[in-house]
Amino acid sequence: MADIAVVFHWPPAAMDPMPLPELMSWRAEAAKRAGAEE
């Protein structure tokens, strides 16, 4: 969740209601935007 918060500037409360598969999808998008290599 920290990766998502840093990249998208979302507070933790915005992510609390999201199901795990959605969080995983957002984390993958955050990694792409941050330039992370796999």
Side-chain angles (χ1 to χ4, degrees), residues 14-37:
M15 295 175 275
D16 281 346
M18 293 183 189
L20 185 57
E22 184 176 1
L23 284 171
M24 292 173 64
S25 176
W26 279 113
R27 187 190 178 281
E29 187 61 33
K32 285 183 203 173
R33 289 191 185 197
E37 296 181 17

